[in-house]
Amino acid sequence: MKTIQSRLTIAYLLFGAAIASLGYTAFKNYKNQSDVHTQLGLGYKVEENIAKIKKGRSVKRARRELKALRPSMQPEARALAVSDIITAINRGSQGRINKSIRYFENVEAEFKRVSYKNLDVLKKNVEYYTVISITLFITLYLWAFIYLRKSVFYPIKRISKKMKDFLVDKYTYHFSVPPDNEIGELQNSFNSMAQKVLTQMDELQALDNAKSEFLSIASHELRTPMTSIKGSLGLLQSGVTENLNDASLNLLNIAEAETDRLIRLINDILDLSKIEARMLNFDPSWMNIKHVIIMTLESLDGLAKAANVHLVKVDLNDIYAPVDQDRIQQVLTNLISNAVKYSPDDGNVFVGMSFTNNGQLKISIKDEGVGIAPEDQKLIFEKFRQATGKDNPLVKGTGLGLAIAKAFVEEHNGVIGVESKPGNGSEFYFTLPNWSKKMPKEDKEEVA
Amino acid sequence: MKILLAEDDPNIAQIAKMTLEKLGGHEVIHAINGEEALEMALNTEVDLLLLDEMMPKMNGLSVCQEYQTSVSDPKPVIFLSAKSQVEDLEAFLTHGIGHIAKPFDPGSLVERINQLMEKHQA
């Protein structure tokens, strides 16, 4: 696989080696250049001393300096020529001194001629190698920039766009042929992942459809026989057939009450299944919660009167919240009718509003009933659970009311709960996190 | 009132017919499926159509739509249904004047029909 990493590595190694060797050559040439300059400088110093010797002034000192310069002289011929001058001075023969000086001057002239020629070459070499290494460096830099743009940044942008499209359900399989590198691998992995997710979504959709269909059939198949049973009982009770004696009427009443209970159970099960299948449209709008509570209380007035229980409003204020009215009414109905069911004769049910410590709106329903044992307090919100201890007479219900209320409250991001001490009544409450003291302008209140 | 009752379940049909006749004092003609209901609706003069939604051959909504497009002065339609999904209820209200949920109580069936008719005529 021609990976991006291997390409970059190879490019950096090759270019790096080339730039290093060229740079080194440039440096070598520069070094030689400065060596030549040093040697020329030494030559000038020798010539100064020779001038002194020619004039016969401070010859001893000049000889000492020549002796000091000699070891550094290059090439060897120049050092030997200087040695000759020193030897001649030591012997003290003027002729020999002159001869050795002439010899040195010849050697030095030749050296200068060659050196100046060499210096030209060296100078050109330094420039040449420096320019080539800088050019190579810029080329590598530009190539890396263009290569990364083309093979890394653009493809990553493209894949990132595909991912964002996927999130908003606009995913298409129209991907270019994946390049044979890390980006291609990323593209392939994302493609496989997206296809897996889509396949699973299709499967889930199919399951969801099957569940909807089942619910629809179940509703029909369960409700059809209930319709006949309830209708027959109702007609018998209404006396359309003939007059029935009290015992028969009593039996009919029992049959009808149990039929109603069965119908409620069927309705609750279907409702809960629909909530769980998310088939009920959640449609919140800003409502005055006080009005919703009062409406619910009015609808439960008959039930409360029949049980001789008093519904008492406590601290109800105009507070607005975005709620699905039907569901909040259902929650209130379930909680208040429970409170009525478990209330003693001539008892009170207090329906109030307050705020929690973390600023949520809290609606509470307090009764004066027998209360709920701590171990039952969590269980009652589960499906088909009712507190049925020995102090707590079995009250007829489906055991689904609180489960439905919990599901609805949680759809509003609220919390449902209960506080109770056995023998001391129960306080059921639920919270709504989003509320306001004024109706937001863009929503008009819908009063049913 | 003369009511056309379309209901495929014989037991429910019998109970509804008895309820409407004995408790409501209406005259009832009964169709056992969608096709028969449509034929009767087009050929018989009635005051109200009471249509079950789920019927063999033709469902209640189709009968209603067919009937309303074929007749110049269609009579009001009320649906009887065990369906309670929001979309279904919306369709019932668009095409008919209302909906009565199954299971129904005989007394309230008569009452609800009267209510819906009064609301419709108002």
Side-chain angles (χ1 to χ4, degrees):
Chain A
M1 191 163 73
K2 291 166 192 160
T3 63
I4 292 169
Q5 195 188 4
S6 64
R7 276 176 191 232
L8 282 175
T9 310
I10 290 169
Y12 273 88
L13 284 177
L14 285 179
F15 274 85
I19 291 168
S21 67
L22 289 168
Y24 183 68
T25 313
F27 173 74
K28 260 296 237 316
N29 278 289
Y30 179 78
K31 180 89 184 349
N32 286 346
Q33 217 181 327
S34 79
D35 283 351
V36 171
H37 279 297
T38 311
Q39 288 303 322
L40 286 172
L42 290 174
Y44 286 124
K45 278 185 184 158
V46 172
E47 278 166 352
E48 274 170 29
N49 286 305
I50 287 173
K52 285 175 191 166
I53 295 165
K54 275 184 179 167
K55 286 173 188 166
R57 253 189 258 154
S58 48
V59 174
K60 278 192 176 173
R61 215 176 129 202
R63 190 188 65 102
R64 240 187 355 258
E65 284 189 17
L66 285 181
K67 237 182 162 171
L69 289 167
R70 191 191 52 188
S72 314
M73 302 285 285
Q74 288 283 343
E76 198 57 31
R78 291 170 77 214
L80 287 174
V82 174
S83 294
D84 268 0
I85 298 171
I86 296 166
T87 318
I89 293 169
N90 287 346
R91 299 264 169 90
S93 152
Q94 193 60 43
R96 227 183 133 157
I97 292 172
N98 291 342
K99 199 181 157 198
S100 64
I101 286 174
R102 266 200 307 281
Y103 175 69
F104 173 79
E105 280 169 350
N106 285 339
V107 169
E108 187 64 14
E110 178 61 18
F111 175 72
K112 281 183 183 167
R113 195 182 60 78
V114 173
S115 291
Y116 283 120
K117 214 169 121 191
N118 279 350
L119 274 179
D120 277 351
V121 175
L122 288 172
K123 203 179 152 199
K124 270 180 194 155
N125 279 352
V126 170
E127 280 170 11
Y128 177 73
Y129 288 116
T130 310
V131 167
I132 292 187
S133 20
I134 290 175
T135 312
L136 271 183
F137 183 76
I138 293 173
T139 311
L140 171 66
Y141 186 85
L142 284 177
W143 173 82
F145 181 72
I146 293 167
Y147 178 69
L148 285 176
R149 237 168 109 91
K150 185 179 140 286
S151 304
V152 180
F153 302 134
Y154 277 153
I156 282 183
K157 257 190 187 170
R158 216 169 50 233
I159 294 171
S160 160
K161 189 178 176 296
K162 287 275 177 195
M163 289 180 171
K164 283 178 192 153
D165 283 353
F166 184 77
L167 286 180
V168 293
D169 296 333
K170 281 199 303 197
Y171 180 73
T172 52
Y173 291 98
H174 300 304
F175 248 122
S176 51
V177 178
D180 184 21
N181 60 25
E182 291 94 331
I183 296 290
E185 212 174 309
L186 177 66
Q187 188 175 313
N188 282 336
S189 307
F190 170 64
N191 248 346
S192 321
M193 190 205 77
Q195 280 170 28
K196 191 172 174 187
V197 170
L198 289 178
T199 314
Q200 285 178 349
M201 267 164 62
D202 285 348
E203 282 167 14
L204 283 177
Q205 188 64 49
L207 275 177
D208 204 42
N209 291 346
K211 192 169 179 180
S212 303
E213 203 178 325
F214 168 75
L215 281 175
S216 173
I217 292 169
S219 321
H220 186 258
E221 294 306 313
L222 289 170
R223 281 172 178 155
T224 300
M226 294 316 294
T227 308
S228 297
I229 297 169
K230 189 169 165 56
S232 305
L233 293 172
L235 279 175
L236 281 172
Q237 273 178 314
S238 71
V240 291
T241 46
E242 58 188 80
N243 288 335
L244 297 163
N245 62 34
D246 284 352
S248 307
L249 270 176
N250 192 30
L251 289 174
L252 278 176
N253 283 338
I254 293 172
E256 192 174 37
E258 292 302 311
T259 307
D260 284 343
R261 188 176 158 205
L262 199 50
I263 291 170
R264 275 204 306 280
L265 179 62
I266 291 169
N267 288 342
D268 281 356
I269 292 174
L270 291 173
D271 274 354
L272 202 61
S273 312
K274 281 186 210 157
I275 298 167
E276 282 169 358
R278 296 183 212 295
M279 277 165 58
L280 293 182
N281 290 331
F282 179 58
D283 181 24
S285 61
W286 283 87
M287 302 286 307
N288 187 336
I289 299 303
K290 180 181 159 186
H291 291 171
V292 177
I293 294 177
I294 290 174
M295 262 188 274
T296 314
L297 286 173
E298 280 167 3
S299 72
L300 291 169
D301 206 38
L303 180 81
K305 281 201 175 114
N308 193 25
V309 170
H310 314 288
L311 299 178
V312 186
K313 294 170 224 166
V314 188
D315 293 334
L316 293 185
N317 298 308
D318 290 311
I319 299 285
Y320 300 85
V323 294
D324 185 307
Q325 188 188 348
D326 288 345
R327 295 188 199 192
I328 290 302
Q329 269 188 292
Q330 179 78 59
V331 173
L332 285 165
T333 305
N334 289 1
L335 294 181
I336 298 171
S337 60
N338 269 352
V340 169
K341 268 195 301 198
Y342 287 96
S343 281
D345 188 49
D346 200 27
N348 294 307
V349 169
F350 302 96
V351 181
M353 233 185 219
S354 60
F355 297 96
T356 62
N357 290 338
N358 57 6
Q360 300 201 350
L361 176 63
K362 179 176 173 182
I363 293 139
S364 43
I365 292 96
K366 194 173 177 341
D367 65 48
E368 298 173 332
V370 289
I372 300 161
E375 63 270 21
D376 285 336
Q377 289 180 11
K378 274 222 155 151
L379 293 179
I380 52 173
F381 291 102
E382 291 172 18
K383 282 174 245 178
F384 302 109
R385 293 281 193 167
Q386 281 179 312
T388 51
K390 63 178 193 300
D391 297 333
N392 214 338
L394 178 71
V395 178
K396 285 174 187 173
T398 62
L400 287 172
L402 287 175
I404 290 173
K406 184 169 187 274
F408 281 159
V409 168
E410 283 168 1
E411 266 185 325
H412 288 79
N413 296 320
V415 180
I416 194 166
V418 62
E419 277 161 24
S420 175
K421 277 182 192 157
N424 223 348
S426 311
E427 182 177 1
F428 280 85
Y429 63 86
F430 66 95
T431 65
L432 293 171
N434 191 4
W435 59 270
S436 165
K437 285 194 173 173
K438 282 187 179 158
M439 169 70 79
K441 274 175 191 164
E442 63 268 30
D443 289 280
K444 281 182 185 165
E445 188 179 356
E446 295 163 24
V447 180
Chain B
M1 257 192 322
K2 188 168 178 182
I3 300 175
L4 167 60
L5 169 72
E7 169 61 66
D8 60 307
D9 185 289
N11 290 335
I12 297 178
Q14 201 186 331
I15 288 159
K17 192 165 184 280
M18 200 189 277
T19 305
L20 293 171
E21 285 172 351
K22 298 249 165 103
L23 294 185
H26 303 297
E27 186 187 338
V28 178
I29 54 171
H30 171 222
I32 57 162
N33 61 45
E35 271 180 15
E36 194 181 294
L38 182 61
E39 203 186 303
M40 284 166 92
L42 295 176
N43 298 321
T44 322
E45 191 63 30
V46 291
D47 303 301
L48 170 69
L49 282 75
L50 200 55
L51 304 178
D52 181 30
E53 164 52 14
M54 282 169 100
M55 283 188 292
K57 294 191 179 171
M58 208 173 174
N59 69 28
L61 273 174
S62 312
V63 172
C64 174
Q65 279 167 296
E66 193 79 5
Y67 167 71
Q68 285 170 341
T69 47
S70 322
V71 174
S72 56
D73 176 28
K75 294 292 187 259
V77 174
I78 295 175
F79 291 96
L80 269 178
S81 171
K83 285 188 179 177
S84 59
Q85 278 156 39
V86 182
E87 310 86 72
D88 299 320
L89 300 185
E90 277 170 5
F92 294 150
L93 275 177
T94 325
H95 297 286
I97 62 168
H99 154 252
I100 294 170
K102 287 182 186 173
F104 52 78
D105 176 63
S108 58
L109 174 68
V110 173
E111 211 174 289
R112 182 111 172 95
I113 287 174
N114 290 340
Q115 263 178 17
L116 287 173
M117 288 299 282
E118 269 170 39
K119 209 169 139 190
H120 172 66
Q121 280 152 7

